[in-house]
Amino acid sequence: MAKSFAPGMMVDATLVFERHEALGAPSSAVLIRGGESVVFIANGDKAEQRVVRTAFVTDGWIEITSGLKAGDAVIFEGHTIVRDGSPIEIAN
């Protein structure tokens, strides 16, 4: 039996039109530098800046459509003070 709704009632709904696999990163990891979206990844003991293209943002995550590959270690703490080539130390 269908539920009926009275005038003025509201509903919160999510519609899924398409599902696809994607790379994601915390949205706070993406910075704007020189008008481009960038992230920093750990490349050995150095930070490496990568220009990325982004898409959807949801629940604190952002879809990365280009500029990263699976397995890249995105720096998301202290990333605002590093530069391309900055020495980094990975904490355990």
Side-chain angles (χ1 to χ4, degrees):
M1 172 184 240
K3 295 194 182 239
S4 60
F5 293 96
M9 292 180 74
M10 297 179 66
V11 65
D12 184 15
T14 301
L15 302 174
V16 177
F17 293 99
E18 177 183 319
R19 289 191 181 267
H20 62 275
E21 289 191 26
L23 294 175
S27 56
S28 61
V30 179
L31 305 171
I32 304 299
R33 295 226 171 129
E36 296 182 303
S37 297
V38 301
V39 298
F40 286 92
I41 65 161
N43 187 357
D45 61 351
K46 303 244 186 261
E48 180 182 323
Q49 180 177 300
R50 295 269 183 92
V51 174
V52 295
R53 287 190 182 219
T54 61
F56 300 107
V57 178
T58 183
D59 296 327
W61 287 85
I62 191 163
E63 180 182 6
I64 307 293
T65 59
S66 69
L68 289 180
K69 63 183 183 301
D72 284 341
V74 175
I75 301 170
F76 58 92
E77 288 187 14
H79 62 293
T80 59
I81 60 173
V82 298
R83 300 283 179 249
D84 194 33
S86 292
I88 57 170
E89 184 176 313
I90 307 291
N92 291 328

